[in-house]
């Protein structure tokens, strides 16, 4: 449900909505392989893949759009923290 | 933003944002009705009549986030920039009334004492509301200082 809401919010603001894929990674307690930071048990991680042309659009100037998406998802998921990673389709 | 939008374009902006938000509410399982209006050169969209506290957030942060996303949704359909205002659960309206009161009080004080009155730093949106309230009382006002510390100085009526 949460990931559907996120997918909807993103599909509405990109040029290639059919390329938007949202995956959920949750309850990982190991270290984040890329960032090196620790995962909180209760953190919800969304992995968002978009068309390369839309990556700038979903991140926005100074990360403004990414922050807005994170704020909304955190509001829907009040009990847990939220993290969203953005990938372009070529990075998969 | 460079050209004035016609009323028709603003109504369309409201429609696009309302569809975007309506579907969002449905998926998120949040009850609420959406109302639309055009005020001056802006489309106004409001989510009302629901348990909306979680969609307001601390100091309206979720309102601001959903407004930003709604504007982007409009832009991606119309190709032109949107300045639409989103209100949720009456948050902006309540804030607007508080700001207008600040302006009215400061204007009365300036007129009564004959002395200028300095107000706290505000963003452009807040200052606009306060300037309008001051003008309505019949005092003068100017913004001074640099963003983000720009503030209004109210001057007595001459």
């Amino acid at each position: 449900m949460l990931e559907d809401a996120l997918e909807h919010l993103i599909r509405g603001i990109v040029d290639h909505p059919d390329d938007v894929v949202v995956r959920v990674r949750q309850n990982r307690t190991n270290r984040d392989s890329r960032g090196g930071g620790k995962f909180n048990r209760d953190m919800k991680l969304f992995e968002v893949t978009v068309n390369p042309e839309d990556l700038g659009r979903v991140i926005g100037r100074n990360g403004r759009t990414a922050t807005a998406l994170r704020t909304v998802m955190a509001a829907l998921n009040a009990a847990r923290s939220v993290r969203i990673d953005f990938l372009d389709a070529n990075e998969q | 933003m460079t050209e004035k939008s016609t009323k028709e374009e603003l109504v369309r902006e409201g429609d696009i944002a309302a569809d975007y938000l309506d579907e969002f509410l449905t998926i998120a399982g949040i009850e609420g009705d959406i109302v639309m209006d055009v005020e001056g050169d802006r489309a106004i969209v409001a989510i009302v009549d629901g348990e909306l506290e979680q969609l307001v957030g601390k100091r309206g942060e979720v309102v601001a986030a959903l407004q930003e996303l709604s504007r982007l949704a409009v832009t991606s359909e119309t190709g032109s920039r949107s300045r639409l205002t989103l209100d949720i659960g009456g948050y902006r309206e309540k804030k607007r009334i508080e700001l207008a009161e600040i302006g009215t009080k400061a204007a009365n004080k300036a007129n009564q004492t004959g002395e200028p009155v300095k107000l706290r730093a505000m963003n452009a949106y807040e200052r606009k509301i306060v300037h309008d309230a001051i003008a309505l009382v019949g005092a003068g006002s100017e913004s001074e200082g640099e963003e983000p510390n720009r503030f209004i100085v109210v001057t007595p009526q001459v």
Side-chain angles (χ1 to χ4, degrees):
Chain A
M1 178 216 89
L2 277 182
E3 53 272 30
D4 295 336
L6 181 59
E7 186 176 312
H8 168 72
L9 290 177
I10 295 170
R11 286 178 61 103
I13 63 170
V14 296
D15 285 336
H16 306 279
D18 291 341
D19 290 351
V20 175
V21 179
V22 177
R23 293 187 198 84
V24 187
R25 300 271 154 86
Q26 62 187 117
N27 289 337
R28 275 173 42 170
T29 49
N30 55 328
R31 288 179 92 77
D32 176 12
S33 52
R34 283 180 305 161
K38 253 186 197 158
F39 267 103
N40 180 316
R41 242 181 93 81
D42 281 337
M43 168 172 290
K44 190 136 183 162
L45 169 62
F46 297 96
E47 225 170 61
V48 175
T49 309
V50 296
N51 186 291
E53 289 175 17
D54 285 324
L55 195 59
R57 179 89 56 101
V58 295
I59 291 170
R61 205 175 357 130
N62 300 321
R64 205 178 144 131
T65 309
T67 302
L69 289 165
R70 197 173 295 119
T71 300
V72 175
M73 294 317 289
L76 295 183
N77 193 44
R80 307 199 284 180
S81 53
V82 167
R83 180 173 140 179
I84 307 176
D85 284 352
F86 295 94
L87 309 172
D88 79 41
N90 297 338
E91 281 183 280
Q92 278 187 87
Chain B
M1 211 148 146
T2 43
E3 282 174 41
K4 269 213 156 189
S5 306
T6 63
K7 170 118 193 210
E8 225 164 70
E9 285 164 346
L10 293 171
V11 168
R12 176 149 186 258
E13 280 192 23
D15 282 341
I16 296 167
D19 284 347
Y20 180 67
L21 292 165
D22 192 34
E23 175 135 16
F24 167 74
L25 292 178
T26 304
I27 296 169
I30 297 171
E31 280 190 39
D33 289 332
I34 295 178
V35 293
M36 291 161 284
D37 199 1
V38 170
E39 216 177 272
D41 59 351
R42 276 173 202 248
I44 315 272
V45 177
I47 306 176
V48 296
D49 289 341
E51 301 273 320
L52 299 168
E53 290 82 6
Q54 76 178 130
L55 284 190
V56 175
K58 270 180 248 147
R59 277 176 290 148
E61 61 174 6
V62 187
V63 181
L66 280 170
Q67 173 175 286
E68 176 78 15
L69 294 170
S70 302
R71 287 178 173 183
L72 293 172
V74 170
T75 302
S76 89
E77 284 224 12
T78 65
S80 49
R81 204 153 139 189
S82 165
R83 302 169 64 211
L84 81 86
T85 300
L86 171 66
D87 196 2
I88 300 179
Y91 174 79
R92 280 194 202 280
E93 183 58 19
K94 206 172 121 202
K95 206 157 171 221
R96 200 185 60 76
I97 292 167
E98 284 167 12
L99 287 164
E101 267 171 21
I102 290 172
T104 305
K105 276 188 191 155
N108 285 330
K109 188 175 166 195
N111 283 345
Q112 276 157 21
T113 61
E115 299 284 330
V117 177
K118 267 191 201 175
L119 299 178
R120 67 167 169 85
M122 292 175 186
N123 66 34
Y125 169 79
E126 295 172 320
R127 292 198 307 271
K128 165 86 171 73
I129 294 165
V130 177
H131 278 304
D132 288 350
I134 293 166
L136 215 60
V137 176
S141 63
E142 266 177 37
S143 294
E144 288 181 18
E146 297 295 322
E147 301 283 6
N149 298 315
R150 214 161 151 72
F151 59 93
I152 291 177
V153 178
V154 191
T155 48
Q157 196 170 25
V158 272

